[in-house]
Amino acid sequence: MDARHSLTLTAISGLLALSCLSTGCASLGKTALWGSKAEVVKGDAADVPGAAAPAGKFIVELRPVSGKARAIEHTIAGPLNVHDALVQAKVIKEYRRMKLELVRPLPSGGWHRMPVEYDRTSKRVAAECDYAILPGDRLIVTEDPTTILGDMMDSATNGAGFMGTGTAPKSGKTKYGTFRVAG
């Protein structure tokens, strides 16, 4: 390996490291999530959760469609992420469909809300949103009452046609030029 190859390898490694540091959660811009983005909520907002969990603990807040919401306090024993917290709280067996949100207390007194994507077919949290659970976190689990019929109707009314086929444009013009979708 000569000097030119090692210089190229160093430059590529540096760019890769820089790109890894500058990227965030890839699914935060998706509209299919409960919230469309992570946000900071002040302490006096209407939908702010209760107090933070005690040191070394986190809270799983269950919000069923019918019935009373309840909060369960759990202890953090070693490294823990959102999916592991759901398994520990036995939420995956309780709800077939759910919307998840991780709420983290900030040192300034507010809350940082992070939507979490849950794949109901694999019964797992998406890897890019499987955040680490820290002491004081609240994992808000809201039961989702929708059914597969509702999913099909949403698919049909969102312009993609029945089951994702149909009226989606195959080609078109934009102000930057023309495009063609393969397939």
Side-chain angles (χ1 to χ4, degrees):
M1 186 148 108
D2 61 352
R4 191 177 76 201
H5 286 137
S6 66
L7 181 62
T8 304
L9 182 62
T10 304
I12 290 173
S13 299
L15 287 174
L16 183 61
L18 182 63
S19 67
C20 287
L21 291 174
S22 65
T23 58
C25 181
S27 68
L28 290 180
K30 291 183 181 177
T31 58
L33 292 175
W34 184 21
S36 60
K37 60 182 177 177
E39 62 183 339
V40 174
V41 180
K42 300 294 180 196
D44 57 352
D47 195 28
V48 170
K57 297 188 180 231
F58 70 98
I59 294 175
V60 176
E61 187 174 323
L62 302 173
R63 296 180 180 177
V65 173
S66 60
K68 188 176 179 183
R70 65 186 194 273
I72 305 166
E73 195 174 279
H74 293 277
T75 304
I76 298 175
L80 189 69
N81 56 14
V82 173
H83 181 75
D84 295 337
L86 291 174
V87 171
Q88 181 178 339
K90 298 178 183 161
V91 175
I92 294 175
K93 292 180 181 179
E94 190 169 338
Y95 296 147
R96 299 180 91 191
R97 291 175 173 238
M98 62 185 116
K99 296 176 183 175
L100 301 172
E101 184 177 40
L102 182 63
V103 182
R104 183 162 289 161
L106 296 173
S108 62
W111 297 89
H112 184 208
R113 304 179 90 122
M114 298 175 283
V116 178
E117 186 177 350
Y118 179 75
D119 183 12
R120 64 181 175 271
T121 56
S122 65
K123 296 184 179 181
R124 290 204 56 88
V125 172
E128 63 268 14
C129 293
D130 203 4
Y131 303 112
I133 299 290
L134 300 178
D137 283 355
R138 293 180 74 90
L139 183 60
I140 300 174
V141 181
T142 305
E143 184 179 14
D144 186 6
T146 61
T147 62
I148 191 166
L149 183 61
D151 291 344
M152 288 190 299
M153 294 303 289
D154 286 343
S155 172
T157 58
N158 286 339
F162 184 72
M163 299 298 287
T165 62
T167 61
K170 294 285 184 182
S171 63
K173 292 186 178 185
T174 66
K175 69 179 187 177
Y176 300 111
T178 60
F179 70 92
R180 170 139 176 83
V181 178

